[in-house]
Amino acid sequence: MENENYEKKLAKSHDDLKTVLEYYPIDPKSIKLLFTRGGRSKWLIESDQGNLILRQEYINPKRMLFIVGAHWHLQNKGLPIAKLIPTKRGGLCLSGGDHVYLLYEAREGEPLLYYNKSQMMKTMAFTGAFHNASEGYLPPPGSKRRTRTGKWKKLYRWKIQELEDNKKIAQEDPEDEFSRLFLENVDRMLKRGYEALEELDRPSFTQWSEETIRSGMFCQQDDTMARMIVKDEQAVMKDLHSITIDLPARDLRIILNKLMKKLAVWDTDVVSELLSAYDRVHPLSEDQYRVLWTDLKFPHLFCAISHKYYLGQKKSWGDEKFLMNFRNIIAVENSKEAFLSQFDQIYQNIKGEKS
C-alpha cells in the first residue's frame, strides 16, 4: 500500500509539472527529478529547445521576481549565465500558490575546482564581470527588493554581541574542547571585530554605499564556485539563486574566505593575485579596497562556526567534525592577520604598481 501511494504521488507530481510547462513555449519530451531539498527542487526537461532546468522554490513570489529580474538583466548585459526562458506571456517566473517556478537552459561543462589556481582566477574575473553587468538594474514593478547596504554596522554589532554571549557560555564549560579553543582565540577576534566596526565610520564606507545604491549594482547572497562551470575556457554561471543590493566587497569577502578556508591558510600572495584578476575586470579605488580590508578584518568565519556550535544548528556534525572545522578556521583567521597589516604593499601589487 505504501509503494502504491508513493507511485500515485509521483504520478500526480509529474502531471502537475506538465501543467506548469504548458505555460512555456516549449514541447517537453521527458521530465527527470535532479534535486530536492530545503524547499527547492530541480528537474531536467528534455524539450524541442534542448535540455532545460525547471526550478521550484518555496519563496515569496515578489522576492523571486526581484531575483529573476536580476537574472534577466545580467543575461541582457551579456554575462555568461544560463539563459532564462520566459513564459508564453513574457513572465520571468510562474507563481503556483506558495511556491514559484522558473525555467532556464541547462548549461553543461566542467565544474570549477577550489584547489585549481587557474580556475580560482577565472572565478574572480567572473565576479568582476558580474558586478559590472549588475549596474543599472531596475527591479520589475511589484518585486520585493532586498538590501544590506547601510546595515553593516547593525550586523557587526549583532555578531560581536553574540561572541560576547558565547564567551560566557564557554567559560561555564571549560572542559569542552571547542569551548577551550574558543576562549583561547575569542578576545583577539573581538578586538578585530570592534576595530572593524569603528572603521565603518569612515566617510569612504558611506560614500561607496551611496554610490552602490545610485548605480543599481547588486551582489550575490552567497558567492560560490559551486554554481559555476567552465565552458570553452570561460566561467559560466549555471543559475542565480539570490541577490541583494550591497557593496561588491561583500562578494569578495565571502569568496576569498571560502577559497582560503579550502587551503586551510590565508595565502597573501594568492589573494593578491586573485584580487588582481578581479581588479582587471572591475577596478576598485584605494578607499574601496580599504572597505574590503575592514570586512576581511571582521571575524565572520569565527562568528559563523561559533554560532552553529552554541546554537546546535549542525545536528549532523559530531564533536570531531566541529573541532576539525574550527581548527581550520582559527588557522585561516590567524594567518590572515599578516595580510591585513600589509595594505599599502598589497594594493600596489593588485594595481600592478612597483614599490
Side-chain angles (χ1 to χ4, degrees):
M1 178 63 71
E2 184 175 339
N3 286 339
E4 183 178 334
N5 289 336
Y6 179 70
E7 292 295 333
K8 288 181 179 179
K9 186 176 181 180
L10 278 180
K12 182 180 184 304
S13 174
H14 197 270
D15 290 341
D16 289 344
L17 292 176
K18 283 186 175 180
T19 301
V20 168
L21 291 172
E22 287 176 1
Y23 286 87
Y24 288 93
I26 66 168
D27 180 16
K29 307 298 183 182
S30 68
I31 302 172
K32 178 184 178 182
L33 178 65
L34 296 178
F35 171 91
T36 182
R37 187 177 67 197
R40 178 182 293 139
S41 299
K42 290 182 182 180
W43 293 268
L44 176 65
I45 312 297
E46 293 185 4
S47 77
D48 60 326
Q49 296 188 33
N51 289 343
L52 306 171
I53 299 293
L54 179 68
R55 192 168 99 210
Q56 177 197 64
E57 293 204 34
Y58 287 86
I59 186 174
N60 184 325
K62 293 182 178 180
R63 171 69 184 134
M64 178 53 78
L65 186 57
F66 179 63
I67 297 169
V68 296
H71 188 142
W72 188 251
H73 172 83
L74 294 172
Q75 178 176 322
N76 289 335
K77 282 289 197 79
L79 187 77
I81 187 171
K83 288 183 170 52
L84 200 61
I85 310 297
T87 66
K88 292 175 181 177
R89 298 177 62 180
L92 298 180
C93 58
L94 192 64
S95 178
D98 57 354
H99 47 265
V100 179
Y101 296 94
L102 58 154
L103 186 69
Y104 48 90
E105 65 178 349
R107 296 299 297 261
E108 297 180 355
E110 295 298 317
L112 280 167
L113 303 176
Y114 277 98
Y115 302 101
N116 184 308
K117 185 177 176 181
S118 172
Q119 294 190 3
M120 287 161 57
M121 299 282 279
K122 284 183 171 64
T123 299
M124 296 301 289
F126 180 91
T127 300
F130 182 100
H131 292 153
N132 280 338
S134 74
E135 291 190 40
Y137 176 45
L138 297 174
S143 62
K144 185 177 181 180
R145 289 163 52 99
R146 173 173 286 179
T147 178
R148 292 181 181 268
T149 310
K151 298 178 181 179
W152 284 33
K153 288 184 181 180
K154 182 179 180 180
L155 177 65
Y156 279 21
R157 289 193 188 101
W158 180 84
K159 289 188 175 185
I160 288 171
Q161 185 58 57
E162 187 175 54
L163 280 185
E164 297 279 17
D165 293 341
N166 287 338
K167 181 178 177 180
K168 295 175 183 176
I169 296 172
Q171 288 170 336
E172 294 174 359
D173 191 10
E175 300 302 316
D176 175 54
E177 181 63 14
F178 187 98
S179 293
R180 186 188 66 77
L181 285 172
F182 178 87
L183 291 171
E184 283 182 2
N185 294 275
V186 66
D187 287 340
R188 187 166 61 260
M189 295 299 107
L190 281 167
K191 181 176 181 293
R192 276 178 33 189
Y194 281 115
E195 288 175 356
L197 177 61
E198 186 176 347
E199 289 173 11
L200 294 185
D201 288 328
R202 292 173 177 169
S204 55
F205 174 70
T206 302
Q207 181 181 346
W208 197 10
S209 298
E210 292 172 351
E211 289 173 358
T212 298
I213 293 172
R214 287 196 300 269
S215 72
M217 180 181 291
F218 53 83
C219 63
Q220 299 183 59
Q221 282 286 93
D222 184 20
D223 195 358
T224 174
M225 294 171 71
R227 298 194 187 108
M228 292 190 287
I229 56 172
V230 177
K231 181 73 173 178
D232 299 327
E233 296 300 313
Q234 183 181 43
V236 178
M237 181 169 277
K238 296 186 295 183
D239 54 13
L240 181 66
H241 281 203
S242 190
I243 66 157
T244 185
I245 306 298
D246 205 351
L247 308 184
R250 172 188 171 85
D251 278 345
L252 292 175
R253 181 259 297 174
I254 289 174
I255 192 65
L256 288 174
N257 273 345
K258 284 183 178 180
L259 291 172
M260 295 303 103
K261 190 168 68 168
K262 294 286 185 181
L263 298 180
V265 65
W266 193 272
D267 190 316
T268 295
D269 291 337
V270 170
V271 172
S272 179
E273 290 185 63
L274 293 175
L275 287 173
S276 292
Y278 173 87
D279 196 81
R280 285 192 289 271
V281 180
H282 184 77
L284 299 181
S285 69
E286 180 175 344
D287 282 345
Q288 289 170 338
Y289 272 112
R290 289 192 185 278
V291 173
L292 172 61
W293 251 244
T294 292
D295 206 26
L296 290 171
K297 175 183 288 188
F298 193 90
H300 290 283
L301 293 174
F302 190 89
C303 291
I305 193 167
S306 302
H307 176 84
K308 291 172 184 173
Y309 183 78
Y310 288 111
L311 265 68
Q313 288 193 331
K314 283 287 188 180
K315 304 294 185 183
S316 61
W317 284 21
D319 289 345
E320 285 303 315
K321 188 167 184 177
F322 261 115
L323 287 171
M324 178 183 70
N325 281 275
F326 196 29
R327 290 189 182 104
N328 180 24
I329 284 171
I330 290 170
V332 171
E333 290 286 18
N334 287 344
S335 57
K336 185 193 290 184
E337 294 188 2
F339 166 88
L340 294 171
S341 67
Q342 301 176 57
F343 177 84
D344 291 338
Q345 181 60 53
I346 296 171
Y347 176 72
Q348 291 177 359
N349 292 340
I350 291 170
K351 294 296 185 178
E353 301 171 8
K354 294 183 179 180
S355 56

